[in-house]
Amino acid sequence: MANVLKFECIENARQLGGIVAGGRHVKENMLFRSGNLSLATENDLHRLRDEFGIRLVIDLRSDFEYRRKPDKLLDGMSVVSIPVLDELLRNSALKKEQITPAKGEGMMELLFKIACFPWATKLKDVLYNYFAEGDYAHRQFGEFFKAILAQKGAPILWHCTSGKDRCGFGAVLLLAALGADDNVILDDYAESENSYCKQLEVMTAKGRESGMTDSQLDVLHFLVSVKREYMEIPIKIINAKYGSLLNFIRQKIGVSQDEIDMLREYYLE
């Protein structure tokens, strides 16, 4: 089902065209999701702008992530920053200093270090509960919808760091607004696992060699890849509290029914 896009240096990229939503289908080559664009090549960027017509990029990363690895863009392209995790970083054990590589530290070393923190076993539940229950996250995803609506049906790309958690929840909300059912939405989310399976295999082997426990390896999987059950966490909470993702979008994200109808007119066929 997934429409995976192969770029030279953009990870976990795909478009949502063809996904069934409310008895219709998402239009091809209109809604794009990916990892960050900091390593994008000139060819990658020309494909985004010239082949796919993307002029606006939504960056869901926090400011410190963007400053460390800013997106590369071409003339005629712009980025809007909508950081999702700022409140979580202020109010939990997850501190930006602990998830930012130290000088000379590689990303793999950082991920191994995070996976071994005592609080890391709770990280998955903390993050995905935050998506369902964090008022700040709800406001930021409201801004995400505003940015998409402002494009009036033009192609758009959104991303976080790896294109799986924050980016994935954005896709969950957008597909739900378009009328996709929960199983279809979860199928799309779970496709990110395929993008990182080789990387995860290598890192898991190295983790076992270094003596990581099973619980630490589970954290490593969460940091590097996805499992369908991760996104089931917020969806179950939302459905129990609001009855459906669509009700949640209207009541907590602040997207009106008129705006939902507009999105469907723009992006469904």
Side-chain angles (χ1 to χ4, degrees):
M1 182 190 72
N3 294 299
V4 175
L5 300 172
K6 296 297 184 182
F7 289 93
E8 292 174 352
C9 291
I10 301 175
E11 294 185 328
N12 196 17
R14 59 188 188 270
Q15 60 100 9
L16 305 186
I19 291 178
V20 176
R24 301 164 70 183
H25 293 84
V26 178
K27 291 179 181 178
E28 298 288 339
N29 295 327
M30 298 294 285
L31 299 174
F32 298 83
R33 49 173 296 179
S34 73
N36 74 84
L37 308 184
S38 66
L39 298 178
T41 65
E42 285 289 314
N43 286 338
D44 290 340
L45 295 173
H46 277 288
R47 286 189 65 200
L48 292 179
R49 187 189 69 179
D50 303 331
E51 179 180 344
F52 297 121
I54 294 169
R55 295 295 185 269
L56 182 70
V57 174
I58 299 175
D59 189 340
L60 301 175
R61 297 177 295 170
S62 295
D63 289 343
F64 78 95
E65 295 175 275
Y66 180 83
R67 289 194 301 270
R68 189 170 64 85
K69 290 189 174 183
D71 282 344
K72 293 180 179 177
L73 300 174
L74 297 177
D75 289 344
M77 300 175 72
S78 61
V79 61
V80 57
S81 175
I82 306 177
V84 170
L85 292 185
D86 284 24
E87 184 180 62
L88 181 62
L89 291 171
R90 285 192 296 267
N91 299 323
S92 77
L94 175 63
K95 303 299 182 184
K96 68 180 182 182
E97 293 81 8
Q98 294 176 306
I99 61 174
T100 304
K103 187 174 182 180
E105 183 177 42
M107 183 55 66
M108 185 178 294
E109 295 171 291
L110 175 67
L111 294 177
F112 283 161
K113 182 174 73 176
I114 294 173
C116 292
F117 284 141
W119 49 259
T121 54
K122 300 179 181 179
L123 184 56
K124 167 174 58 68
D125 290 332
V126 168
L127 178 61
Y128 281 89
N129 276 275
Y130 173 71
F131 288 154
E133 301 179 326
D135 288 339
Y136 180 85
H138 300 163
R139 290 195 299 273
Q140 294 302 86
F141 279 112
E143 294 300 315
F144 169 76
F145 274 97
K146 288 178 184 177
I148 294 174
L149 284 160
Q151 293 303 292
K152 298 183 178 180
I156 195 162
L157 179 144
W158 66 95
H159 73 79
C160 52
T161 294
S162 300
K164 59 188 187 70
D165 301 313
R166 289 162 286 184
C167 175
F169 193 65
V172 165
L173 295 178
L174 183 54
L175 286 171
L178 294 175
D181 68 36
D182 290 359
N183 283 327
V184 168
I185 289 168
L186 286 165
D187 286 345
D188 174 71
Y189 166 77
E191 288 293 339
S192 286
E193 186 168 16
N194 295 325
S195 296
Y196 294 106
C197 58
K198 290 183 180 179
Q199 181 182 358
L200 180 62
E201 184 178 338
V202 171
M203 293 183 72
T204 299
K206 289 183 178 295
R208 290 193 187 281
E209 289 172 7
S210 69
M212 293 179 75
T213 66
D214 287 344
S215 62
Q216 289 168 341
L217 289 170
D218 285 343
V219 174
L220 190 65
H221 192 296
F222 165 70
L223 293 171
V224 176
S225 187
V226 306
K227 293 180 181 177
R228 184 186 177 98
E229 66 197 53
Y230 298 168
M231 195 58 76
E232 289 175 347
I233 295 170
I235 290 178
K236 286 178 180 178
I237 294 170
I238 288 167
N239 285 342
K241 191 169 183 178
Y242 300 95
S244 68
L245 283 166
L246 194 57
N247 286 341
F248 172 75
I249 291 165
R250 287 187 291 238
Q251 295 172 29
K252 292 299 292 184
I253 305 300
V255 184
S256 70
Q257 186 59 51
D258 285 345
E259 290 170 327
I260 289 169
D261 292 342
M262 196 177 301
L263 286 169
R264 294 177 179 183
E265 183 65 25
Y266 289 151
Y267 294 113
L268 295 180
E269 60 185 5

